[in-house]
Amino acid sequence: MRWWFVGWVVAITAVMVGLKLKPGIPEDLAFLSLHTDCCKVEVSDSSVSQIEYQKLPKAGVKEVHAASSVLMRDGSLLTVWYGGSREGAADVQIYSSRFNPSDKQDSKDWSEPKILLSPQQAMHDLGHRIRKLGNPVISLRPDGTLDLYVVSVSLGGWAGSQVNWMSSTNNGHSWSSLKPLWTSPISNISTLVKAPPVYFENGWIGLPVYHEFVGKFAEFLIMDSNHRIVDKIRLSHRREALQPWLAILNDQQAIAYMRFSGNSKREILQTLTTQAGVKWGSAIKAGLPNPNSAVTALYWKNHGMLIVFNRSTDSRRGLSLAFLPEIDPAMVNDLKNPVDKWQVIYSFEENLNKKNIDEIKKKIPKLSYPYMVQGNKGFHIFYSYERDFIRHVQISESWLLKQIE
């Protein structure tokens, strides 16, 4: 018997066994809406501009990138990123730092970075060679458990990635060993993560992921509380979508915004679910430019949608905050929102609101991989500044309300 035939039999058997072992998705599956009322994070209203800029400490490495952050129960922020000599280098490690907005320290609000994960530790835990690490994503479950998702590559480039996870039950002071997230019963490669998970009322986890091997497309993983895959759902059926980010509208509806990697009209892609992530509509253009770069979005309850994106089709410059007025869930099924309803209300590092970005883009730094977190009285936005440092911007809710009046 030829080896290829044996291989196909094994592969098909593995898939069928995996499908047979899948628990069914309950009919009453519902998103859990996480509110910040329990937390103490506040953006100071004492600033005249009500927008505050800070740099995260760098830990002495040449490049830093791909920050993610989480609002802790004690009101602090825990932020992670990767840093090393360059993206994909063998010396890249995952770092973490903490910030408490209520602390009145001199000028050093962020703690000194700590190494959260090294390639050596990843190799020890996973039991195989690790060529590089990237894209850490940190999140807090409703029960207080911290999860860290991180991409690793053993062979080749990012298309050969797998997603791994580890957890902490003591606010990140110690962590479990790193474990692979089994997204495929055969090779378990070409899955990457960039955005935080969402949670379901039954304790399950929904993780937006994407693929870069052969084609580029986005998926939504539905997992039980032990990170076992219950189902995988495609968010895009063409091969031009990356790095999906979910904005929850209510217990059944969410919009996934995606980076567009195609060559046609370059705009952010979006798709809608009205069944708690189990089924998604067709991906369509959102009416905002995208230069093949990541975006971040949050639904601001009773107000509308906020999105941070690069306001260009060919450059990771002009990072801006845009607002879409209150979305009526009953009217959003086809996502055909008029483009002119998006309002650019702020541009980071430079005030570009009334300028032509193409005329001055050479003067503007490259800002990429934004990540937005909501606090009690404002929002925290993180992004890479030329990969030289991670920027933290605090924007007060009162300032935002004035911009959208």
Side-chain angles (χ1 to χ4, degrees):
M1 187 180 292
R2 295 180 179 273
W3 285 110
W4 64 266
F5 180 75
V6 174
W8 273 109
V9 171
V10 171
I12 293 171
T13 302
V15 171
M16 295 305 295
V17 169
L19 290 174
K20 190 174 287 187
L21 293 178
K22 272 186 187 178
I25 293 180
E27 293 183 1
D28 60 350
L29 190 68
F31 289 127
L32 180 65
S33 296
L34 296 180
H35 302 291
T36 57
D37 298 341
C38 65
C39 304
K40 301 177 182 178
V41 169
E42 296 185 2
V43 177
S44 172
D45 288 333
S46 61
S47 171
V48 174
S49 68
Q50 297 183 9
I51 298 176
E52 298 179 3
Y53 279 76
Q54 288 184 309
K55 291 182 183 180
L56 270 69
K58 196 172 175 179
V61 298
K62 184 178 180 181
E63 288 191 8
V64 291
H65 194 38
S68 84
S69 188
V70 66
L71 182 72
M72 301 294 289
R73 287 182 167 181
D74 65 357
S76 64
L77 290 165
L78 179 58
T79 300
V80 299
W81 65 92
Y82 74 76
S85 57
R86 58 174 175 79
E87 177 181 334
D91 64 353
V92 166
Q93 302 183 99
I94 308 301
Y95 292 88
S96 69
S97 180
R98 293 177 185 265
F99 172 73
N100 191 335
S102 65
D103 286 349
K104 299 300 181 182
Q105 303 176 31
D106 294 336
S107 60
K108 196 175 183 181
D109 296 318
W110 284 94
S111 66
E112 285 300 315
K114 294 182 179 179
I115 297 173
L116 195 55
L117 182 68
S118 67
Q120 293 75 23
Q121 183 63 47
M123 282 190 280
H124 175 271
D125 292 349
L126 298 174
H128 58 76
R129 176 177 178 265
I130 297 297
R131 183 183 177 192
K132 55 186 176 182
L133 298 174
N135 285 18
V137 173
I138 195 163
S139 66
L140 184 69
R141 297 195 213 182
D143 66 3
T145 300
L146 275 171
D147 288 317
L148 177 73
Y149 302 92
V150 63
V151 171
S152 68
V153 175
S154 296
L155 185 66
W158 292 120
S161 297
Q162 74 173 30
V163 178
N164 312 283
W165 66 279
M166 59 186 194
S167 61
S168 171
T169 56
N170 59 4
N171 295 321
H173 296 293
S174 62
W175 293 83
S176 70
S177 60
L178 191 67
K179 304 176 184 66
L181 190 62
W182 288 101
T183 60
S184 167
I186 307 171
S187 58
N188 197 37
I189 63 169
S190 192
T191 303
L192 299 92
V193 66
K194 167 63 178 72
V198 297
Y199 297 100
F200 296 97
E201 290 183 353
N202 65 354
W204 285 5
I205 304 166
L207 186 66
V209 298
Y210 61 103
H211 291 254
E212 291 194 15
F213 183 68
V214 182
K216 297 179 179 180
F217 59 90
E219 284 188 325
F220 183 59
L221 304 181
I222 299 178
M223 306 180 288
D224 66 18
S225 59
N226 295 311
H227 283 93
R228 290 180 296 213
I229 307 296
V230 177
D231 205 355
K232 293 196 301 182
I233 302 99
R234 285 283 289 267
L235 300 181
S236 59
H237 294 286
R238 299 179 65 182
R239 300 180 181 274
E240 301 171 329
L242 294 171
Q243 299 176 339
W245 184 292
L246 267 62
I248 304 297
L249 302 178
N250 54 43
D251 65 352
Q252 292 296 311
Q253 294 181 311
I255 299 175
Y257 294 99
M258 295 168 283
R259 166 181 172 178
F260 179 68
S261 63
N263 295 317
S264 60
K265 186 179 180 183
R266 291 185 169 181
E267 291 185 3
I268 296 168
L269 292 173
Q270 60 183 5
T271 181
L272 171 76
T273 179
T274 59
Q275 295 177 271
V278 176
K279 292 184 179 180
W280 293 81
S282 299
I284 64 173
K285 300 293 180 65
L288 293 171
N290 184 248
N292 193 7
S293 189
V295 302
T296 178
L298 285 174
Y299 175 57
W300 187 11
K301 191 174 181 180
N302 300 323
H303 297 289
M305 190 70 69
L306 292 169
I307 190 166
V308 179
F309 69 109
N310 291 99
R311 195 158 52 92
S312 171
T313 58
D314 61 0
S315 170
R316 290 184 176 183
R317 295 180 169 92
L319 191 71
S320 302
L321 173 66
F323 172 74
L324 183 67
E326 179 66 42
I327 299 172
D328 181 357
M331 303 293 291
V332 77
N333 286 345
D334 60 4
L335 276 183
K336 293 178 180 177
N337 299 305
V339 173
D340 58 5
K341 282 193 175 182
W342 281 106
Q343 175 189 358
V344 175
I345 56 179
Y346 187 72
S347 291
F348 297 93
E349 308 292 337
E350 295 273 350
N351 184 5
L352 306 178
N353 293 334
K354 297 180 180 179
K355 298 180 180 179
N356 184 340
I357 191 172
D358 294 325
E359 294 178 358
I360 60 174
K361 63 184 180 181
K362 293 182 180 179
K363 302 176 184 178
I364 308 167
K366 290 183 179 179
L367 311 175
S368 60
Y369 272 50
Y371 200 100
M372 183 161 44
V373 177
Q374 185 174 6
N376 269 347
K377 294 186 179 181
F379 296 84
H380 300 264
I381 296 99
F382 300 83
Y383 51 84
S384 301
Y385 186 110
E386 297 276 2
R387 302 202 182 191
D388 183 49
F389 60 85
I390 301 298
R391 176 70 86 188
H392 170 214
V393 182
Q394 301 176 75
I395 300 181
S396 73
E397 186 174 282
S398 60
W399 181 89
L400 277 174
L401 287 171
K402 292 177 182 178
Q403 310 311 305
I404 64 174
E405 288 177 351

